[in-house]
Amino acid sequence: MFRDFFLLAARSIAHRKVRSWLTIIGVFIGITAVVALISIGLGLEKTINDQVSDVFGVDTFIISPEGTFGPGGAHADATFAIDLDHLRSIDGIQEAAAIRDETGFVQGSPDEAGDSIKGLLSVVGLSPELLTDFSSFIGDIELEPGGRNFTATDRNVAILGNAVATRLNATVGSTIEIEGQPFEIVGVVVPGEDDAAGRQSGGMMSYGRTTEDTIYVPYDVLLDLYGPADSVLVTLVRVAEGTDVDEAADRVETDLNERGADIMTITYTDISDMVGTMMSTISAFLAGIAGISLLVGAVGVMNTMFTSVLERTKEIGVMKAVGAKNSHVWLIFLIESGMMGLVGGAVGTILGLALSWGASALLSRVFGIDIAVVASAALIAITLAGSFALGAIAGLWPARRASKLLVVDALRYE
Amino acid sequence: MSLLELRDVTKEYQLGKTTVRALRGLDLDIAQGEIVAIMGPSGSGKSTLMHILGALDVPTSGLAKLEGTDLASLSEPQLVTIRGQRIGFVFQTFNLIQTLSAQMNVELPMIFQRLPRKQRAQLACALLERVGLGDRAHHKPNELSGGERQRVAVARALANDPEIILADEPTGNLDSESGSSILNLLKTLSRDDGKTIILVTHDPEAAEIADRIVRLKDGAVRKEVEHV
């Protein structure tokens, strides 16, 4: 019987083609918006999480000045000192490395005339472990031929950004002075290929500053030059195998806070949670706006169904005269409005997914950002069921009116 | 016992602020297998009588019995069952569902009685064959002539093999030739199948096939004529 009612409803929809399509357009615009937003939103979240997990892996966390992450914003003046050796001694910690940023008085190599440039430049201290154990964080630093990275025993050596090397008239093998101490240049960074500014994309080391203008020295050397760290940018910690990274991070945070360091730890879970919260908030907001168009679509369905009931009053009378129960009439109209919702949902799902694929392709081509499009079976199933329900709910009132028509009045209706 | 028995039936309904007394103490008996023509001028209560005979409506007062059962005592679902199984309707304007084929129109009453699909299709085809439209089963109403549409309507009225066929001006919208053939069809149904046929009509030719003519005036029976 259900099958027959579906058939009756489908015939009726097909019979009033223009009106049905207009109604369906009203539904699928809303569904398209919702599907596109959800699928892009989920895709963005997945992309971010994937990238974060590529960088972090499962065993690494960051120590950062309190408040640099999450709501509230950073207090830029937060300072803290971290003793890497102490950090390595904490239970479950395998390796730790840090980046420290100072501004140093630098003197370049003398030129032919014996003059050399002097000035204040950014000097970044890197733990050698950063290059060996945490390469995913700093990206690949490609050095010009003849250069080498720091080793664990290096002291007064430096790697120069390409621009700063030129300015200081320094090449591999030459010597510059930082705070009056001589440093041998062991490498010069190849200019970044990704963009003209030389910004290393993907690496965290650059911290928004171009690698071109930076002088890198081993982390421990900065201790000699400037004393204990009070402006460590970030510290990376790897836990030993089999240690829960979140537990270890809590332990480190407690330990260091007790020692007076104003720091927080950030694990993959923290970032993933925050991304999730942020994305759901944005998604919910956008879906709410899209929801308004769904509401308008539903009102359109209701309007069409009321017109249909009015127009088919006589038909309803005939159906009742030949033995249709009120519930039959109700069901036929409900299925009809549900089907309009369903067709709208199907068209909307296809368009919505196409839209998000298009947007993703466009972002990838124009901005080089790859965003995955999430088109799960669950999303599609829920959308289709939801759009049928939307139509059916919009049809409840008209269907009820149809079912309550008195057969005598309905037959007399002209 | 009469198949249909009406005793002192009145029917009033509201039309705006005025109360219309459509039937005023009407008595009528209709026997199994009879062809009865109900005639009378407009406003004489023909349609209202038809509604009550067809279990579409119940009297305001008086008794309307189908095989001894008081229709007024039945619930709406019970009346729906009676309409669906025991009464077939033929209307002046055919009232076929435009979106459905002739066959589906005939199947419609069977759908509501939850007959299996296959059985339905067979029955509908047989009925269309019977009314001479075996080759028109898949045509939509607007692809059929008036006479053919009314034949489809007759086939639909026969769908659940009812005892009573109620025809409201069945020839009213037909040319005389088509009208005659519909009347012949109805006559055959009475003669061969023992159906009780109640015709509401203005058409003297339609009255010709009746065993009995009931003339209404002002909501009551003015005269009953046995037709020979």
Side-chain angles (χ1 to χ4, degrees):
Chain A
M1 196 173 66
F2 265 105
R3 212 176 120 183
D4 300 304
F5 286 180
F6 270 99
L7 188 79
L8 288 176
R11 289 286 171 80
S12 166
I13 290 172
H15 186 68
R16 295 163 180 82
K17 276 193 194 70
V18 175
R19 197 195 306 160
S20 301
W21 272 114
L22 290 175
T23 310
I24 288 165
I25 287 172
V27 176
F28 81 58
I29 288 175
I31 300 277
T32 302
V34 171
V35 168
L37 287 173
I38 291 178
S39 120
I40 292 174
L42 290 176
L44 200 59
E45 186 175 342
K46 183 173 181 297
T47 306
I48 294 173
N49 277 339
D50 284 353
Q51 283 184 357
V52 172
S53 96
D54 277 353
V55 172
F56 272 72
V58 290
D59 55 0
T60 306
F61 64 91
I62 291 179
I63 300 174
S64 190
E66 183 72 58
T68 47
F69 184 73
H75 7 131
D77 54 347
T79 60
F80 62 102
I82 287 175
D83 179 348
L84 289 182
D85 288 331
H86 169 72
L87 201 55
R88 290 185 188 112
S89 73
I90 295 174
D91 188 27
I93 303 305
Q94 189 187 49
E95 192 52 84
I99 302 172
R100 178 177 168 183
D101 185 26
E102 298 289 348
T103 302
F105 182 75
V106 182
Q107 183 173 359
S109 290
D111 58 16
E112 292 87 3
D115 296 330
S116 55
I117 287 182
K118 296 173 195 159
L120 291 171
L121 280 171
S122 167
V123 179
V124 170
L126 295 179
S127 302
E129 293 84 358
L130 268 177
L131 303 171
T132 51
D133 293 87
F134 297 96
S135 61
S136 67
F137 279 84
I138 60 171
D140 288 328
I141 294 186
E142 201 186 332
L143 299 179
E144 286 184 346
R148 63 168 178 87
N149 282 329
F150 302 138
T151 63
T153 53
D154 274 335
R155 296 297 290 176
N156 280 24
V157 296
I159 294 175
L160 300 183
N162 199 273
V164 82
T166 312
R167 241 188 296 162
L168 293 175
N169 189 33
T171 54
V172 174
S174 57
T175 305
I176 59 167
E177 282 184 15
I178 301 173
E179 303 291 347
Q181 292 201 31
F183 280 76
E184 189 197 344
I185 308 303
V186 296
V188 175
V189 180
V190 169
E193 288 172 15
D194 288 354
D195 53 291
R199 206 175 289 266
Q200 298 276 88
S201 62
M204 289 178 87
M205 185 179 69
S206 57
Y207 271 92
R209 147 174 20 86
T210 69
T211 53
E212 296 285 275
D213 292 326
T214 307
I215 298 169
Y216 301 100
V217 297
Y219 181 81
D220 292 339
V221 175
L222 289 189
L223 198 66
D224 302 342
L225 294 178
Y226 302 103
D230 61 356
S231 63
V232 172
L233 278 173
V234 73
T235 305
L236 302 172
V237 181
R238 173 155 302 145
V239 299
E241 213 173 305
T243 309
D244 184 281
V245 66
D246 289 303
E247 279 173 20
D250 283 347
R251 222 161 28 233
V252 167
E253 189 169 324
T254 314
D255 184 289
L256 294 184
N257 283 343
E258 276 169 7
R259 289 163 68 95
D262 194 13
I263 58 99
M264 61 188 292
T265 55
I266 304 160
T267 63
Y268 170 70
T269 321
D270 293 331
I271 293 185
S272 171
D273 284 353
M274 201 197 70
V275 169
T277 313
M278 192 177 72
M279 290 310 299
S280 346
T281 312
I282 295 172
S283 297
F285 176 70
L286 293 176
I289 293 173
I292 293 171
S293 59
L294 278 185
L295 191 68
V296 174
V299 172
V301 172
M302 195 181 280
N303 183 27
T304 299
M305 290 312 294
F306 268 125
T307 313
S308 186
V309 169
L310 198 66
E311 196 174 68
R312 288 153 71 194
T313 301
K314 192 137 196 181
E315 189 178 314
I316 294 165
V318 172
M319 287 201 285
K320 288 189 167 190
V322 303
K325 292 178 189 163
N326 287 357
S327 60
H328 292 153
V329 174
W330 183 77
L331 207 54
I332 289 171
F333 276 85
L334 211 61
I335 290 172
E336 187 171 324
S337 63
M339 274 172 90
M340 278 200 277
L342 184 65
V343 174
V347 176
T349 305
I350 294 168
L351 287 182
L353 291 178
L355 196 67
S356 42
W357 264 306
S360 160
L362 191 75
L363 283 177
S364 165
R365 253 183 67 175
V366 178
F367 300 105
I369 306 167
D370 283 318
I371 293 178
V373 172
V374 174
S376 62
L379 173 67
I380 293 171
I382 289 170
T383 307
L384 292 182
S387 51
F388 184 85
L390 178 88
I393 289 168
L396 274 176
W397 187 14
R400 192 183 146 78
R401 178 170 289 188
S403 76
K404 294 286 176 200
L405 279 173
L406 289 176
V407 58
V408 177
D409 294 339
L411 280 175
R412 221 185 263 138
Y413 185 85
E414 291 298 335
Chain B
M1 186 175 59
S2 309
L3 178 64
L4 281 159
E5 183 185 349
L6 269 56
R7 285 286 168 274
D8 197 22
V9 164
T10 67
K11 180 68 190 178
E12 294 172 1
Y13 54 86
Q14 290 296 128
L15 208 64
K17 282 184 179 172
T18 52
T19 305
V20 178
R21 296 176 64 206
L23 297 178
R24 308 172 186 186
L26 183 141
D27 294 299
L28 183 65
D29 288 272
I30 294 171
Q32 173 82 47
E34 250 191 318
I35 303 181
V36 178
I38 296 168
M39 302 185 78
S42 299
S44 59
K46 295 194 303 288
S47 295
T48 308
L49 173 58
M50 164 107 176
H51 290 154
I52 287 172
L53 291 172
L56 296 169
D57 211 347
V58 290
T60 307
S61 71
L63 276 179
K65 291 182 175 178
L66 173 67
E67 282 190 328
T69 309
D70 182 7
L71 293 176
S73 71
L74 300 178
S75 65
E76 177 60 25
Q78 287 170 313
L79 289 175
V80 170
T81 308
I82 287 178
R83 293 201 290 266
Q85 297 177 350
R86 306 187 63 179
I87 299 168
F89 292 91
V90 177
F91 302 94
Q92 178 175 2
T93 50
F94 324 130
N95 288 355
L96 298 175
I97 293 176
Q98 297 298 323
T99 53
L100 302 178
S101 67
Q103 184 182 330
M104 272 303 285
N105 265 288
V106 178
E107 283 187 37
L108 195 63
M110 302 189 245
I111 290 175
F112 297 128
Q113 299 305 320
R114 315 190 91 157
L115 248 70
R117 172 178 305 271
K118 222 172 154 184
Q119 195 184 343
R120 249 167 36 201
Q122 280 173 353
L123 273 170
C125 288
L127 286 170
L128 285 170
E129 200 73 51
R130 169 111 198 247
V131 299
L133 291 174
D135 55 342
R136 293 281 209 232
H138 301 295
H139 287 61
K140 294 261 174 73
N142 59 11
E143 297 161 347
L144 300 171
S145 71
E148 288 171 327
R149 289 183 208 184
Q150 196 61 300
R151 282 163 185 276
V152 175
V154 171
R156 179 179 67 187
L158 293 170
N160 291 319
D161 196 21
E163 303 141 79
I164 303 164
I165 303 284
L166 266 173
D168 186 5
E169 302 277 10
T171 58
N173 276 24
L174 298 178
D175 60 75
S176 59
E177 198 183 330
S178 309
S180 304
S181 78
I182 289 291
L183 291 172
N184 279 332
L185 182 59
L186 291 173
K187 203 169 173 179
T188 328
L189 291 174
S190 164
R191 195 185 57 216
D192 298 351
D193 301 50
K195 306 279 186 210
T196 306
I197 312 256
I198 303 168
L199 289 167
V200 173
T201 187
H202 276 107
D203 179 6
E205 199 195 338
E208 283 292 303
I209 66 160
D211 301 317
R212 188 156 58 104
I213 298 169
V214 176
R215 289 189 186 276
L216 296 190
K217 196 186 176 190
D218 299 331
V221 175
R222 186 170 64 101
K223 181 161 91 172
E224 288 190 41
V225 186
E226 294 295 326
H227 202 270
V228 204

